[in-house]
Amino acid sequence: MADAVISSDKPSKSSPLNPPSRITCHVCQKQFSQYTCPRCNSRYCSLHCYKSHSLRCTESFMRENVVEELRQLQPNDETKEKMLDILKRFHSEEETEDMDEEDSTLSEDTIQKFLSGGQISFVDLSAEEKKRFQRAVASGELSKMIEPWDPWWLRPSARTISLSREGTQLVQPLSKDELSVSPQLNNESDQASDIPPGPESPLPPVSKLSSTAPSPLLAVHLVDIIYSYCFTLRLYNGDWQSDAIGSATVVLSVSSVLGQGGQPETVLEALSYCLEQTCSPAYRHIGGLQFRLGLVDDVVSILSLGGNALLCLLSDLYRLVQSGERELKSEKLQKSRKLEIKNKLKLAERKIYFIMCWVHDQPGEAWSSLAAIVRAEKASAMDYINISRKVEKKAENRGKVLIQEME
């Protein structure tokens, strides 16, 4: 006789004689259930049925798991001191450089090459000229020559990103003939086309990629990845395609998770590493401290947009790394160095894809909670800077009074 289908609402205990796969899904009543809701013990067969079985369960489960894990992982005193030291050191160096600004002129050889009709690229500049050029970009001297880039995550169209249930793109960009129908439609389509497209193929659940449960630290790692992506796109004025291998190298150098195999345990630790790398000599002249702290605002903005925006970001980063791998093949580098970069890019590609699938699995309210944590860390950093400036100003004023009394 055929096995009876169990459809009781009471939670059942699974055993070799009573497998859970023989219980029907309490939501669709069509498929056999494979999972149990950790809050109400209701049986369901898929992620879609889980998300629709109880709004109360799905809204609170992620908050209790992710947010509580992040709360327990409080930064220790050593991490806080490191973060404050980075801010203090870079703030002092920034003030020193402002007092000792060099003349941003080109060398005689470079000028003669330009006057003779030759083209000058960034690689033609000397080390000193490159530094001066970067300073000119950071200070805004060249802003009239470079069209400012408007980050896609700050545009109104980013708030209405739609993806399919599987995470893939729903709407394809219109053709030129379709765009010529209406100027208003043209403008809206241009804004929509500036949003990076989502994944090209359906995203599998994380359970299909790994037999072990995903780490609760993935939320922290995501902050590290978003920061490195935003820094890279702002550095390249939104056009990473112009130098995919260079862009990929910047991502690897800024991100502890993708470039160093790091496992930051707190949001503060992740942000501290990113700030330390962007304050290094390689990027010191790309904007100031406020620019770097402004990137934290970018992270908050993207998290606030929700899961669809995150999937578009990770998909764009995934394509960036893949393009870097393709360009690396034609690069003339030492064999060992080339192999090292290739291995790092391959590992980064796998990590980005895994994070992308994990993000797709999460309920939408998780990202607003994570955004609030990042915003709080940034507020703490700004409080430190303001207090530090007040202390320095008071010390400076006391010194002036002392000199006047001695005179």
Side-chain angles (χ1 to χ4, degrees):
M1 186 172 66
D3 293 340
V5 176
I6 302 173
S7 60
S8 172
D9 289 336
K10 295 180 181 180
S12 61
K13 296 181 180 180
S14 57
S15 68
L17 298 178
N18 183 26
S21 60
R22 303 304 298 170
I23 303 175
T24 56
C25 174
H26 290 178
V27 182
C28 66
Q29 297 290 330
K30 295 179 181 179
Q31 303 292 334
F32 290 122
S33 68
Q34 300 182 39
Y35 313 101
T36 303
C37 174
R39 292 186 58 82
C40 66
N41 289 329
S42 179
R43 301 308 299 256
Y44 62 95
C45 64
S46 64
L47 178 63
H48 174 66
C49 286
Y50 169 73
K51 290 182 177 180
S52 59
H53 90 280
S54 171
L55 188 61
R56 182 175 59 184
C57 289
T58 55
E59 284 184 347
S60 58
F61 178 67
M62 187 62 185
R63 185 180 296 109
E64 292 180 359
N65 282 268
V66 176
V67 178
E68 189 59 33
E69 286 286 350
L70 291 173
R71 283 177 180 171
Q72 293 176 3
L73 296 171
Q74 294 295 331
N76 53 35
D77 293 338
E78 183 180 353
T79 305
K80 288 182 179 179
E81 287 296 329
K82 184 177 180 181
M83 175 70 160
L84 296 180
D85 179 64
I86 293 170
L87 294 172
K88 184 177 181 180
R89 184 175 69 250
F90 191 78
H91 174 57
S92 301
E93 291 173 352
E94 197 174 36
E95 289 189 338
T96 303
E97 289 176 0
D98 289 341
M99 296 173 61
D100 187 26
E101 194 69 33
E102 295 180 348
D103 183 23
S104 57
T105 57
L106 298 176
S107 67
E108 187 65 26
D109 293 339
T110 304
I111 293 174
Q112 289 299 325
K113 181 178 180 180
F114 177 76
L115 293 176
S116 62
Q119 292 186 346
I120 300 175
S121 64
F122 187 74
V123 295
D124 295 326
L125 304 179
S126 65
E128 186 62 28
E129 287 172 342
K130 289 179 180 178
K131 183 188 296 185
R132 292 174 179 175
F133 177 81
Q134 289 171 336
R135 284 183 178 178
V137 172
S139 64
E141 291 181 39
L142 302 182
S143 59
K144 295 181 180 180
M145 302 173 62
I146 302 175
E147 184 178 354
W149 177 64
D150 182 22
W152 62 263
W153 55 86
L154 299 180
R155 299 176 184 177
S157 54
R159 296 194 292 267
T160 58
I161 298 174
S162 296
L163 299 177
S164 70
R165 185 183 299 174
E166 293 78 19
T168 54
Q169 197 77 14
L170 273 178
V171 181
Q172 297 297 328
L174 298 176
S175 64
K176 292 184 178 179
D177 294 336
E178 293 172 314
L179 290 176
S180 61
V181 173
S182 168
Q184 182 179 358
L185 180 62
N186 194 343
N187 183 49
E188 292 176 357
S189 300
D190 284 344
Q191 288 190 353
S193 64
D194 288 333
I195 304 296
E200 297 177 0
S201 57
L203 297 174
V206 174
S207 58
K208 294 289 183 67
L209 302 178
S210 174
S211 58
T212 59
S215 169
L217 296 178
L218 288 181
V220 176
H221 299 175
L222 180 63
V223 172
D224 167 281
I225 292 172
I226 297 174
Y227 189 103
S228 64
Y229 172 86
C230 293
F231 176 80
T232 303
L233 257 68
R234 286 192 176 274
L235 179 64
Y236 281 87
N237 206 36
D239 184 22
W240 62 258
Q241 293 91 343
S242 62
D243 184 9
I245 184 61
S247 300
T249 303
V250 172
V251 170
L252 295 181
S253 65
V254 175
S255 171
S256 166
V257 174
L258 299 179
Q260 305 299 325
Q263 300 286 326
E265 297 183 352
T266 66
V267 171
L268 178 61
E269 184 181 347
L271 292 176
S272 296
Y273 183 88
C274 291
L275 281 168
E276 186 173 13
Q277 297 310 304
T278 55
C279 291
S280 65
Y283 307 115
R284 184 175 296 166
H285 304 293
I286 309 299
L289 180 59
Q290 293 301 322
F291 166 71
R292 285 153 179 79
L293 292 174
L295 290 167
V296 182
D297 291 331
D298 286 336
V299 176
V300 173
S301 297
I302 291 170
L303 288 171
S304 301
L305 291 173
N308 286 344
L310 288 169
L311 290 178
C312 289
L313 180 151
L314 293 168
S315 183
D316 194 36
L317 182 58
Y318 188 73
R319 287 187 286 267
L320 185 158
V321 171
Q322 286 184 322
S323 297
E325 291 180 65
R326 289 192 293 268
E327 283 192 8
L328 182 64
K329 295 178 181 179
S330 59
E331 286 288 317
K332 295 180 180 180
L333 295 173
Q334 189 177 8
K335 188 175 181 180
S336 59
R337 175 59 178 165
K338 198 171 186 177
L339 181 61
E340 178 187 358
I341 298 175
K342 179 182 177 182
N343 291 337
K344 283 189 174 184
L345 290 175
K346 276 291 182 186
L347 183 59
E349 181 185 340
R350 291 197 294 269
K351 286 183 177 180
I352 294 168
Y353 186 75
F354 186 86
I355 288 277
M356 202 188 314
C357 295
W358 174 80
V359 166
H360 182 240
D361 279 352
Q362 309 311 311
E365 72 277 359
W367 314 123
S368 59
S369 302
L370 185 56
I373 295 174
V374 177
R375 189 183 296 111
E377 294 294 359
K378 198 248 178 155
S380 299
M382 294 302 297
D383 287 342
Y384 166 77
I385 294 175
N386 293 333
I387 293 173
S388 177
R389 287 175 175 173
K390 288 179 180 178
V391 171
E392 291 175 359
K393 189 173 183 179
K394 287 182 179 180
E396 183 181 349
N397 291 336
R398 283 199 299 268
K400 290 180 179 179
V401 173
L402 179 60
I403 294 172
Q404 289 175 358
E405 290 177 352
M406 291 180 66
E407 290 178 349

